[in-house]
Amino acid sequence: MKSFFSKFVLLFGALLAFAPVLGVDLFLDAYIRSGSDTRYQDSVNTLNNTSLNALNGALVAIKKVSNESPSLCTPTFIANVKKQLIANHMLAQMVVENSDRVQYCDGFGGETKYSVLSNELPISKNSGTISIVKIENIDEPFIKVSYAISNKKIISAFVHVSSDLSKILPSNIASAAYLSVRLSDGTNIISSGNLLDNKNIYTTVKDHSNITVTSNNNSHLIHSTLIIPFNTVRAGFAGLYTVLTIVALVLGLGVLMLVIYIFRNTNFNTFDLEKAITKGEFQPYYQPVVNLKTGQLLGCEVLVRWVKKDGTVLSPGFFIDLAESSGLAVPMTIKLMEQVREDLSELSKQQPELKIGINLFEGHFRNSIIVDDVKAIFSDSNVLFSQLVFEITERRPLTNQIAVDAVVGGLQALGCKLALDDAGTGYSNLAYMERLGVDIIKIDRVFVNMIGNGTSNVPILDGLISMAFDLDAEIIAEGIETEDQAVYLRARGVVQAQGFLFAPALKKDTYIELAQQMNKPAKPKLAKVEDNIKTSKKAA
Ligand code: CA
Ligand code: CA
């Protein structure tokens, strides 16, 4: 049944069920990313500021030693330089040179050999320059801060560049992170970490595999860029990830179960129906028909329910069309009637006047087999033929007039009654009803629904009622839900009614109990007392 569509629905549902799990990933990623950007921004700013402060410190130191000892390279000068080197751990060395980089002395009174790796960039107007240098025998690059004391003499300080990630990051992140420190012209000073392959890594735009932050300090002298693999950051959220995934899985499982539940309950084929018939899963429920005047129970309509193994109960709306179109409505009705015979056996003995309405389908009116079936099922049972009312829906036209006559005639000959179901909704007109020869007209709920609060007139309903009277047929009004509707119908002479106002379709036991409660026979004891009263009156 609609198998392609239903498979599509199932697939869609399954995808929907996994949506929360996928959602966790997206949600958590976004959460981590937004938090990380700020967190690591602070870290990289701190790192970059350390280097910038070192540059400033170098300038201060240079000015100090030149002020305290204007004669450069004298023992006093060298002693002052040493003092600065000890006091400021970011300073590695100082040298005095001329503009051709001829060295006069270094902080230890000797010569420091080094090579220059970059252009000299001005720190700001008239306040020195910086460049990157490599000191002989030392791997680590230094920033050389130079300040001209006179036309001929320049004092330079070699400054460490702050690149120790372990001081600003947790160890697991520090070991996975990549750092690039560079001059404002882009020259790399230091790069460290795991992503060394990519020399221009600091230009990498934010991609999803890394978190990339660059220092945004005011100074443009040097910049530091930190790149952290996203997975490493994410690993720190493993606990949260697990919790959220479990929550999402539970949620997804719920959705999946709902989808499967809906799918299983709304998708079945003829084969499933056949199986259900054999297993006896189609069960009769009994909707009471009451007398609007006396409140007495007059009988019931048998309504089929598909009671599945798992306890799900399906209304006919889910399966009756398939049952009819596949022809399975006929064997289903037989099973149902057999069950009714069993269910209502005792009650029929106690209250043989209670009617039992059984729905027939268009398929029952193609030949007269149903008459034989009814005879076979109810002949030797407590359920009398006179209790049985067979309902013919007029929602579908009955075309084989000869067969229709044979079924209607055959059932009436047994003593059963025929009812026109859902009257007013389909093909009925007076001639059709008369031709059909039904005993009862069941007025469809749509007409009963037209009776609203305080409605004084529903012409179309009134017309149906009078048509039924004209045919000399009994009337059962269906779908009564309010007192107003009951009052309206009673005022127009309608006696029999069914609907939620009285009771829904009931399980066997409930129905039987209701029948015994509503139609209690007069208590013999009381009768006896009344008899006694009469006798004593006579005697008096
Ligand atoms: Ca019916
Ligand atoms: Ca009906």
Side-chain angles (χ1 to χ4, degrees):
M1 181 168 95
K2 301 170 202 157
S3 77
F4 177 76
F5 177 71
S6 48
K7 271 173 194 158
F8 174 78
V9 169
L10 188 65
L11 184 71
F12 181 76
L15 287 177
L16 197 72
F18 280 103
V21 181
L22 297 176
V24 166
D25 263 355
L26 294 176
F27 169 78
L28 201 63
D29 282 5
Y31 171 74
I32 294 170
R33 217 171 273 282
S34 70
S36 298
D37 283 356
T38 3
R39 189 174 328 117
Y40 299 122
Q41 184 68 62
D42 289 348
S43 305
V44 82
N45 285 350
T46 305
L47 191 76
N48 204 63
N49 279 336
T50 309
S51 297
L52 286 172
N53 290 339
L55 299 189
N56 283 327
L59 270 180
V60 170
I62 291 169
K63 285 173 183 170
K64 205 166 182 189
V65 292
S66 71
N67 282 338
E68 286 171 356
S69 40
S71 303
L72 305 181
C73 292
T74 60
T76 317
F77 174 83
I78 288 170
N80 283 336
V81 169
K82 273 185 188 162
K83 237 195 276 173
Q84 288 301 320
L85 292 180
I86 291 165
N88 187 342
H89 72 280
M90 292 296 279
L91 292 183
Q93 186 54 286
M94 279 194 188
V95 293
V96 180
E97 300 167 323
N98 68 13
S99 53
D100 294 326
R101 223 178 277 148
V102 174
Q103 207 171 112
Y104 301 109
C105 68
D106 66 11
F108 306 125
E111 188 189 359
T112 297
K113 289 188 175 166
Y114 68 91
S115 50
V116 181
L117 306 176
S118 73
N119 294 325
E120 264 188 73
L121 302 176
I123 295 174
S124 65
K125 260 185 193 170
N126 303 324
S127 65
T129 60
I130 58 170
S131 55
I132 305 164
V133 297
K134 164 92 178 64
I135 299 176
E136 200 176 66
N137 299 326
I138 301 180
D139 287 340
E140 177 194 346
F142 289 86
I143 295 179
K144 182 187 169 202
V145 180
S146 301
Y147 187 77
I149 301 299
S150 65
N151 282 343
K152 294 187 175 163
K153 300 280 171 66
I154 297 168
I155 302 179
S156 300
F158 298 104
V159 181
H160 287 284
V161 180
S162 182
S163 64
D164 189 355
L165 293 180
S166 66
K167 282 188 180 149
I168 56 161
L169 296 173
S171 62
N172 65 318
I173 306 237
S175 62
Y178 171 85
L179 173 73
S180 160
V181 185
R182 63 200 184 279
L183 294 180
S184 57
D185 69 353
T187 316
N188 198 51
I189 306 168
I190 269 186
S191 37
S192 67
N194 290 329
L195 303 171
L196 285 167
D197 292 353
N198 188 348
K199 286 191 177 141
N200 287 322
I201 193 79
Y202 55 83
T203 62
T204 310
V205 276
K206 284 188 185 184
D207 65 29
H208 282 284
S209 55
N210 295 308
I211 289 172
T212 304
V213 280
T214 294
S215 57
N216 50 11
N217 310 66
N218 292 329
S219 162
H220 296 293
L221 285 176
I222 55 174
H223 300 283
S224 300
T225 294
L226 191 60
I227 299 174
I228 305 165
F230 185 70
N231 285 340
T232 311
V233 179
R234 202 180 205 282
F237 290 84
L240 184 60
Y241 180 78
T242 309
V243 169
L244 285 179
T245 304
I246 289 170
V247 169
L249 275 174
V250 169
L251 209 70
L253 205 67
V255 173
L256 192 66
M257 274 164 63
L258 189 73
V259 167
I260 290 173
Y261 175 83
I262 293 169
F263 184 79
R264 278 187 46 192
N265 284 336
T266 51
N267 286 275
F268 31 80
N269 50 36
T270 334
F271 181 67
D272 294 326
L273 278 192
E274 263 183 298
K275 249 190 345 199
I277 291 171
T278 324
K279 285 194 208 155
E281 287 183 355
F282 291 105
Q283 289 287 319
Y285 273 50
Y286 303 94
Q287 184 169 37
V289 175
V290 300
N291 184 320
L292 281 177
K293 285 186 174 150
T294 64
Q296 249 194 334
L297 183 77
L298 297 174
C300 64
E301 176 181 351
V302 175
L303 293 168
V304 61
R305 294 282 185 274
W306 185 348
V307 184
K308 294 194 170 187
K309 225 182 189 173
D310 62 5
T312 335
V313 179
L314 293 188
S315 294
F318 285 98
F319 55 84
I320 212 70
D321 282 344
L322 181 62
E324 266 208 87
S325 64
S326 63
L328 286 170
V330 174
M332 187 190 283
T333 307
I334 290 176
K335 278 275 187 184
L336 218 57
M337 288 194 294
E338 287 172 348
Q339 190 62 49
V340 167
R341 176 187 60 192
E342 206 176 305
D343 285 357
L344 301 186
S345 177
E346 272 308 301
L347 184 66
S348 295
K349 239 199 287 186
Q350 296 162 9
Q351 302 189 38
E353 71 289 350
L354 284 187
K355 296 279 188 281
I356 302 166
I358 291 169
N359 289 287
L360 295 183
F361 301 93
E362 187 271 327
H364 287 117
F365 293 90
R366 293 180 191 172
N367 51 54
S368 55
I369 291 174
I370 181 66
V371 181
D372 300 327
D373 288 339
V374 170
K375 219 188 291 183
I377 291 167
F378 292 103
S379 276
D380 296 317
S381 78
N382 289 333
V383 177
L384 305 173
F385 289 127
S386 60
Q387 288 181 261
L388 298 175
V389 176
F390 289 95
E391 302 187 4
I392 313 166
T393 180
E394 70 152 59
R395 288 187 201 274
R396 288 166 204 272
L398 304 177
T399 46
N400 186 342
Q401 195 59 56
I402 294 168
V404 172
D405 287 344
V407 172
V408 173
L411 290 174
Q412 282 173 333
L414 288 176
C416 309
K417 287 193 170 171
L418 264 293
L420 182 71
D421 201 2
D422 314 317
T425 60
Y427 299 85
S428 50
N429 52 49
L430 198 58
Y432 178 81
M433 291 189 202
E434 213 162 9
R435 176 81 187 78
L436 217 51
V438 294
D439 308 290
I440 300 165
I441 305 280
K442 294 193 79 172
I443 295 175
D444 194 79
R445 63 179 64 243
V446 297
F447 303 106
V448 173
N449 272 342
M450 291 174 183
I451 309 167
N453 273 349
T455 307
S456 59
N457 221 354
V458 184
I460 186 166
L461 174 63
D462 294 350
L464 265 170
I465 294 171
S466 64
M467 194 154 81
F469 282 139
D470 287 347
L471 285 170
D472 217 8
E474 289 175 44
I475 299 172
I476 300 177
E478 288 189 293
I480 293 167
E481 285 168 7
T482 67
E483 288 282 357
D484 283 344
Q485 293 168 348
V487 168
Y488 183 101
L489 290 161
R490 194 169 50 194
R492 277 155 184 78
V494 177
V495 176
Q496 306 180 52
Q498 67 187 80
F500 273 33
L501 179 63
F502 314 110
L506 304 171
K507 283 185 176 178
K508 173 192 77 172
D509 291 340
T510 319
Y511 173 67
I512 291 172
E513 207 181 303
L514 184 81
Q516 285 164 346
Q517 287 297 320
M518 286 178 77
N519 296 353
K520 268 186 191 159
K523 282 184 183 164
K525 253 191 183 172
L526 195 65
K528 193 108 187 232
V529 173
E530 279 173 350
D531 277 353
N532 288 344
I533 293 169
K534 275 181 202 164
T535 327
S536 52
K537 271 182 184 168
K538 261 183 196 170

